[in-house]
Amino acid sequence: MSRRSGVLEFAVLGLLRESPMHGYELRKRLNTSLGVFRAFSYGSLYPCLKTLVGNGWLIEESGSASPDALAAPLSGRRAKIVYRLTAAGKERFEELLSHTGPDAWEDEHFGVRFAFFGQTSRDVRMRVLEGRRSRLEERLDKMRAAMARTRERLDDYTLELQRHGMESVEREVRWLNELIESERAGRDRREDTAGQVRTTERDEDRPPQQDQSEDADGPPRHRGGSRPDPSDDTAK
């Protein structure tokens, strides 16, 4: 499977996890919600859908193209095919969602992965964000080195274009730094809250303390009075 078809598979499974859709709805969501697919066509989408159906990750259901069930045969309209995620498809999406390899850090795939961060565990989000940042920092080092070598031979417009590209990468690195710090702060808050809950639970389970008026080496004092005098006849 190519990288392009792999990211499309991931996006389709993720969108259908939210709700069943027909092909037109899917294409519209891919175009509007996931900008990387603006240039995609039905010619790219439907082979992907057929493959996912063949793998058992989607099922096709008939949906009427008209609110009037009798109008479709009369008008000649074909019933629309609605695609629904299967249990196996949900498992497949969860598997793809947990993947944090280099493909998840690349330009095309990262944007799609980020769109589904709301369904991604914190540990996976952190690995993807840190991997993306590392990849961009490597790219930034190469861009700076290339500019230092060639800037004397470039005209002003080409140099400005390279500078613009470098500034775009620098902005994304700063953005990633902010996201990573936010994720870490959220983790620390959750850990602090969990620690406070555990401490409270331990306090509740702790047995009541003994009366502080008890002597360590003798019998407890009688509440409300002193210990009886052994010489008192009433104490015998």
Side-chain angles (χ1 to χ4, degrees), residues 31-42:
N31 290 344
T32 57
S33 302
L34 307 175
V36 70
F37 296 108
R38 287 194 182 97
F40 266 40
S41 64
Y42 286 112

Side-chain angles (χ1 to χ4, degrees), residues 23-65:
Y24 176 78
E25 291 174 317
L26 266 174
R27 186 189 177 202
K28 185 176 180 181
R29 288 291 305 278
L30 289 168
N31 290 344
T32 57
S33 302
L34 307 175
V36 70
F37 296 108
R38 287 194 182 97
F40 266 40
S41 64
Y42 286 112
S44 302
L45 177 59
Y46 280 101
C48 176
L49 291 171
K50 293 300 181 183
T51 298
L52 298 179
V53 170
N55 290 338
W57 299 332
L58 302 181
I59 56 174
E60 296 178 333
E61 299 176 340
S62 296
S64 175

Side-chain angles (χ1 to χ4, degrees), residues 8-221:
L8 179 59
E9 171 192 315
F10 175 82
V12 168
L13 293 175
L15 291 175
L16 290 177
R17 187 186 184 187
E18 299 173 4
S19 65
M21 302 180 200
H22 54 71
Y24 176 78
E25 291 174 317
L26 266 174
R27 186 189 177 202
K28 185 176 180 181
R29 288 291 305 278
L30 289 168
N31 290 344
T32 57
S33 302
L34 307 175
V36 70
F37 296 108
R38 287 194 182 97
F40 266 40
S41 64
Y42 286 112
S44 302
L45 177 59
Y46 280 101
C48 176
L49 291 171
K50 293 300 181 183
T51 298
L52 298 179
V53 170
N55 290 338
W57 299 332
L58 302 181
I59 56 174
E60 296 178 333
E61 299 176 340
S62 296
S64 175
S66 169
D68 186 354
L70 297 177
L74 296 176
S75 63
R77 295 179 181 176
R78 298 175 56 186
K80 294 182 179 179
I81 301 298
V82 175
Y83 296 90
R84 182 185 299 275
L85 204 63
T86 65
K90 292 178 182 178
E91 292 180 2
R92 173 60 175 169
F93 180 68
E94 292 292 340
E95 175 188 342
L96 295 174
L97 205 61
S98 64
H99 176 65
T100 58
D103 284 352
W105 312 336
E106 299 298 338
D107 295 347
E108 187 174 85
H109 206 163
F110 174 75
V112 180
R113 287 300 303 268
F114 192 83
F116 292 101
F117 261 24
Q119 305 177 44
T120 307
S121 68
R122 192 202 65 83
D123 291 341
V124 172
R125 291 198 304 266
M126 284 291 291
R127 288 197 294 270
V128 173
L129 289 173
E130 290 173 344
R132 174 65 175 174
R133 180 177 63 179
S134 177
R135 180 59 51 85
L136 290 182
E137 287 173 340
E138 293 175 2
R139 184 182 302 172
L140 200 54
D141 288 341
K142 292 178 181 178
M143 294 174 73
R144 288 169 176 162
M147 182 176 289
R149 289 194 308 266
T150 61
R151 66 182 307 149
E152 299 299 331
R153 302 193 301 268
L154 299 176
D155 62 75
D156 291 343
Y157 295 102
T158 304
L159 188 61
E160 189 62 30
L161 183 61
Q162 290 194 1
R163 185 179 293 112
H164 173 70
M166 191 165 65
E167 290 174 352
S168 298
V169 177
E170 289 172 340
R171 282 195 300 271
E172 185 171 350
V173 170
R174 290 194 296 269
W175 174 67
L176 290 168
N177 285 334
E178 293 173 0
L179 290 172
I180 290 170
E181 289 304 315
S182 177
E183 290 285 346
R184 287 175 178 164
R187 176 195 62 191
D188 294 342
R189 285 195 299 270
R190 285 189 290 271
E191 289 178 350
D192 290 345
T193 302
Q196 292 172 3
V197 170
R198 286 194 294 270
T199 301
T200 303
E201 290 173 346
R202 286 197 297 270
D203 290 342
E204 291 175 351
D205 294 338
R206 186 177 300 162
Q209 295 182 354
Q210 294 181 340
D211 193 329
Q212 296 299 321
S213 64
E214 296 178 4
D215 291 340
D217 298 327
R221 296 180 183 273

